[in-house]
């Protein structure tokens, strides 16, 4: 219809998506509209985007484990469910080259309908965050909070062994809770990152508290 190749069309759609002009959801289609920044947390007139991962040499996933098990104390409290309630757990070891740079644990709320195991494995085998996976479901995330702390690990600790540490190391610990637009918890994530494993950038931007009126358009009653 447009007289352009599929490659050109894919490039154009990708750039429109990056600019926020369209929203693309796997299995649903492509929609016109502005996409909110991922992990955006709105407080007053300030939007704080939690964190962005980047590593110079790229990264991949190994030791991917999918399991249905008890939520556990931390995830249960964050997801507002009982600690012994059964729900989906995902564990991943993240590597850059032959070096382990992070461990990730994701626990989804039982109400979240995830893709089946083979499709989920294929998705998570790529550099894809738990937030990205959640965005492909019928309950996409709208807001999240992230707590950033440190953890001192040794080669004798269970986590230290999985990270293949050779000496006591202060690692970065990130705990994130993602919620729906109605502030219903959907996902609890916990990541341990070794020094130099990832670059983490925190972004802030001003947001308009009330939407601007379109010039010449009549005011709609009842819209706050």
């Amino acid at each position: 219809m447009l007289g352009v190749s599929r490659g050109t069309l894919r490039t154009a759609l990708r750039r429109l998506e990056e600019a926020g002009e369209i929203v693309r959801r796997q299995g649903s289609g492509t929609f016109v509209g502005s996409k909110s920044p991922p992990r955006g947390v709105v407080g007053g007139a300030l939007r704080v985007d939690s964190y962005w991962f980047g590593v110079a040499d790229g990264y991949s996933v190994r030791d991917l484990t999918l399991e249905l098990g008890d939520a556990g104390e931390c995830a249960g409290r964050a997801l507002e469910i009982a600690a012994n309630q059964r729900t989906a757990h995902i564990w991943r070891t993240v590597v850059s080259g032959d070096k382990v740079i992070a461990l990730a644990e994701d626990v989804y709320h039982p109400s979240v309908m995830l893709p089946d195991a083979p499709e989920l494995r294929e998705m998570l085998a790529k550099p894809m965050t738990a937030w990205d996976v959640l965005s492909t479901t019928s309950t996409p995330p709208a807001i999240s909070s992230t707590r950033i702390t440190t953890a001192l690990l040794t080669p004798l600790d269970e986590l230290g062994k999985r990270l293949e540490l050779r000496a006591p190391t202060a690692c970065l610990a990130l705990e994130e809770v993602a919620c729906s637009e109605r502030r219903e918890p959907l996902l609890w994530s916990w990541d341990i990152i070794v020094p130099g494993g990832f670059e983490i950038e925190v972004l802030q931007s001003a947001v308009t508290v009330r939407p601007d009126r379109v010039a010449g358009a009549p005011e709609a009653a009842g819209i706050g």
Side-chain angles (χ1 to χ4, degrees):
M1 291 175 61
L2 300 176
V4 298
S5 69
R6 290 181 179 272
T8 300
L9 184 59
R10 279 194 291 266
T11 299
L13 289 173
R14 186 179 70 249
R15 291 180 178 176
L16 287 171
E17 182 181 22
E18 291 171 351
E21 300 296 330
I22 62 173
V23 178
R24 306 173 77 185
R25 291 182 179 171
Q26 184 175 345
S28 299
T30 301
F31 306 89
V32 176
S34 179
K35 182 178 179 182
S36 298
R39 308 180 188 84
V41 180
V42 177
L46 183 68
R47 181 184 298 277
V48 180
D49 299 331
S50 57
Y51 56 88
W52 170 84
F53 284 157
V55 59
D57 298 328
Y59 64 93
S60 58
V61 173
R62 79 177 196 200
D63 303 330
L64 175 62
T65 302
L66 311 178
E67 184 178 279
L68 185 65
D70 293 349
E73 292 293 338
C74 293
R77 182 166 57 251
L79 296 175
E80 300 175 4
I81 59 177
N84 62 353
Q85 186 163 349
R86 307 283 283 180
T87 190
H89 290 249
I90 297 173
W91 288 272
R92 287 176 288 172
T93 300
V94 183
V95 298
S96 178
D98 58 356
K99 180 184 178 183
V100 178
I101 57 176
L103 301 174
E105 178 184 1
D106 307 315
V107 182
Y108 291 86
H109 193 280
S111 64
V112 176
M113 300 298 293
L114 293 170
D116 57 29
E119 182 179 356
L120 195 55
R121 283 187 177 277
E122 183 178 355
M123 293 168 65
L124 291 171
K126 308 169 185 176
M128 190 174 196
T129 67
W131 178 283
D132 295 331
V133 172
L134 197 56
S135 297
T136 67
T137 71
S138 59
T139 50
I143 189 170
S144 76
S145 61
T146 303
R147 180 171 174 262
I148 304 176
T149 58
T150 56
L152 180 61
L153 302 175
T154 75
L156 300 178
D157 300 324
E158 181 60 33
L159 290 177
K161 293 176 182 177
R162 290 178 59 191
L163 287 167
E164 300 177 0
L165 298 180
R166 297 183 180 180
T169 305
C171 300
L172 207 59
L174 285 76
E175 182 179 10
E176 181 178 21
V177 180
C179 301
S180 68
E181 291 183 352
R182 300 176 61 182
R183 301 301 194 270
E184 298 165 332
L186 303 172
L187 165 73
W188 176 83
S189 293
W190 190 71
D191 303 325
I192 292 288
I193 304 169
V194 302
F198 283 100
E199 294 178 358
I200 299 177
E201 182 179 353
V202 179
L203 306 175
Q204 297 185 103
S205 59
V207 296
T208 304
V209 178
R210 291 173 60 88
D212 294 331
R213 181 184 175 188
V214 177
E219 290 191 19
I223 298 179

